[in-house]
Amino acid sequence: RGSCASDSSDSVISTGSETDSQLYKVILLGEHGVGKSSLARVFGGVEDGSHDCDEAGNTYDRSIVVDEEEASILLFDVWEQDNSQWIKEQCMKMGDAYIIVYSVTDKSSFEKASELRIQLRRARQSENIPIILVGNKSDLVRSREVSVDEGSACAVVFDCKFIETSASLHHNVQALFEGIVRQIRLRKDSKEE
Ligand code: GDP
Ligand code: MG
């Protein structure tokens, strides 16, 4: 009794995923300037004011508790890094979940978001990957070009979740990441049935 070898003695349903650690790779996609890095910094708990790390790609590693269970997120803000096609291809392959960001003040970034959704569907055809469409900069009321209704209608068409955020005001950023964790868990559970 008390041997450390008995740690995993309870019956594991053999789905081949016994190393199913709770580390989720989440990838930020979206046009330049929509607020990907800002959202990532808020998520990573990095204080604002340091925009010097703007060009380089960054990853953020953080654990959050969602529905009383901890989840670790590895957030990749590398989509625009070096403007590299190779990196973009890797991004499309490696994510457990995706955040497609547009700015509510920029209609063309909204159209780009649709393109990215289509690209992603193509890259990961048979998989049912969690995707959240994010309308960022909701604080800029006067320069809004994309309504909440347009955003959520687009999400319905694309069969993904939708949320509006403001990285500047930290509004809904926590909710965004909680939503991702819940979505990933839902898909996992339904796979393991
Ligand atoms: P990225 O190119 O997608 O990484 O976008 P950035 O995070 O670098 O943001 C581009 C610009 O938009 C920066 O000047 C940010 O300060 C600004 N920005 C980002 N998020 C918001 C937001 O929620 N509200 C407002 N007002 N500005 C934002
Ligand atoms: Mg950036």
Side-chain angles (χ1 to χ4, degrees):
R1 143 152 106 111
S3 91
C4 44
S6 67
D7 262 7
S8 54
S9 61
D10 44 356
S11 66
V12 176
I13 304 159
S14 72
T15 53
S17 61
E18 61 263 51
T19 49
D20 192 14
S21 64
Q22 301 264 297
L23 180 68
Y24 302 137
K25 282 175 285 194
V26 178
I27 320 271
L28 283 159
L29 307 178
E31 203 166 76
H32 181 70
V34 296
K36 297 182 297 300
S37 300
S38 302
L39 287 167
R41 282 195 294 266
V42 173
F43 170 75
V46 182
E47 283 305 312
D48 249 11
S50 58
H51 292 266
D52 49 340
C53 50
D54 218 31
E55 283 310 310
N58 284 297
T59 60
Y60 300 82
D61 187 349
R62 229 192 92 191
S63 290
I64 57 174
V65 175
V66 182
D67 303 326
E68 289 157 25
E69 208 181 315
E70 192 168 68
S72 299
I73 291 182
L74 195 51
L75 181 66
F76 290 82
D77 177 28
V78 298
W79 180 242
E80 294 181 89
Q81 189 179 342
D82 305 328
N83 215 1
S84 148
Q85 199 52 44
W86 185 83
I87 287 178
K88 288 193 163 65
E89 279 167 25
Q90 296 310 306
C91 281
M92 288 295 183
K93 284 180 195 162
M94 69 185 286
D96 295 314
Y98 291 86
I99 302 174
I100 302 182
V101 188
Y102 66 91
S103 166
V104 301
T105 65
D106 179 0
K107 192 94 187 184
S108 76
S109 74
F110 181 58
E111 282 152 14
K112 180 71 185 177
S114 301
E115 269 175 49
L116 288 167
R117 174 66 185 94
I118 291 164
Q119 253 179 275
L120 197 51
R121 177 179 284 165
R122 218 174 271 146
R124 306 285 288 271
Q125 276 177 1
S126 56
E127 296 167 78
N128 191 15
I129 318 164
I131 298 172
I132 300 191
L133 180 66
V134 174
N136 187 45
K137 307 198 187 182
S138 62
D139 57 294
L140 296 178
V141 178
R142 284 162 191 270
S143 41
R144 184 186 274 272
E145 290 182 359
V146 184
S147 70
V148 180
D149 287 348
E150 283 176 283
S152 64
C154 182
V156 169
V157 171
F158 284 134
D159 188 27
C160 64
K161 293 279 178 192
F162 172 69
I163 193 168
E164 280 200 355
T165 58
S166 166
S168 299
L169 302 180
H170 293 203
H171 181 247
N172 267 351
V173 179
Q174 187 70 21
L176 163 60
F177 287 95
E178 288 175 8
I180 285 169
V181 170
R182 288 200 184 96
Q183 267 200 80
I184 296 174
R185 284 180 184 161
L186 273 175
R187 311 274 160 131
K188 279 228 160 81
D189 291 349
S190 61
K191 255 188 212 165
E192 280 163 17
E193 261 169 28

